[in-house]
Amino acid sequence: MPSPEFGAGFYLGTGNNRKPLLLVAPGAGNSVVPHVRYAAGLVLTLADGTVVKELGQLVLTSDRIIGIVTHGSAGQVRLDSATGSVYAFTAGVNDLQPAEVQTKRRGGLTGLIIRSRDGQFELHVTSVIGSLDDDGMLTFGASLADLLNSLTPESRSLMNPYTGSF
């Protein structure tokens, strides 16, 4: 179902295990807007102290990010897409600070932090499990480095239908 104010839609795909999988996409759901979707470990901390965390999706377009936590918790509330309880969020790319890289001592990438410019939230991406296609199939192999690359202005410009193709 699309959410006009949110600028995203939610629809059911089929996961690798052939079970229904709730997906989020820009526009009215399975949109033609160029995007890339990652299955990821997410921890979203809001300005009021609410913490939303565990497993979800992060969708990147040329001008914004859309996230959904499908399994985990939002404060004291359990999230489970199978019961219809999820937490979704979105932000324009101009509303975000550059991603902060977290590394091990020897330089290995361990996470990314994306903060809003106005201090309303901090998103910690703890892991990338893989990329999700528009049908819900998970392809393993995508990494935090791939996500970081997708956040660059160069990669985002390729997702803009007016400046390139993705």
Side-chain angles (χ1 to χ4, degrees):
M1 96 177 31
S3 175
E5 290 178 9
F6 192 67
F10 305 89
Y11 65 99
L12 287 176
T14 304
N16 291 28
N17 61 0
R18 301 198 186 269
K19 291 184 179 179
L21 177 66
L22 182 65
L23 297 166
V24 63
N30 195 352
S31 174
V32 296
V33 174
H35 61 276
V36 60
R37 181 186 300 110
Y38 294 98
L42 304 172
V43 178
L44 177 68
T45 304
L46 304 177
D48 68 2
T50 301
V51 176
V52 182
K53 62 182 177 179
E54 287 304 325
L55 183 60
Q57 300 164 37
L58 195 59
V59 178
L60 307 174
T61 71
S62 65
D63 61 349
R64 64 195 178 115
I65 64 168
I66 305 165
I68 183 172
V69 177
T70 54
H71 295 86
S73 62
Q76 299 299 317
V77 177
R78 291 296 311 155
L79 302 176
D80 184 347
S81 62
T83 63
S85 177
V86 299
Y87 191 97
F89 56 94
T90 187
V93 68
N94 293 330
D95 298 326
L96 303 173
Q97 296 178 18
E100 179 183 318
V101 175
Q102 293 184 309
T103 60
K104 296 178 186 176
R105 280 189 194 183
R106 297 181 189 229
L109 191 58
T110 61
L112 299 174
I113 297 178
I114 302 168
R115 292 184 177 91
S116 63
R117 291 190 188 277
D118 63 6
Q120 291 300 303
F121 72 87
E122 175 180 291
L123 175 64
H124 183 191
V125 183
T126 59
S127 64
V128 170
I129 299 151
S131 59
L132 282 166
D133 69 19
D134 288 336
D135 295 327
M137 296 300 290
L138 177 67
T139 302
F140 295 97
S143 66
L144 283 165
D146 294 322
L147 173 58
L148 181 61
N149 183 56
S150 296
L151 290 167
T152 65
E154 297 80 17
S155 289
R156 287 186 174 282
S157 72
L158 293 174
M159 290 187 260
N160 185 330
Y162 304 106
T163 61
S165 62
F166 191 73

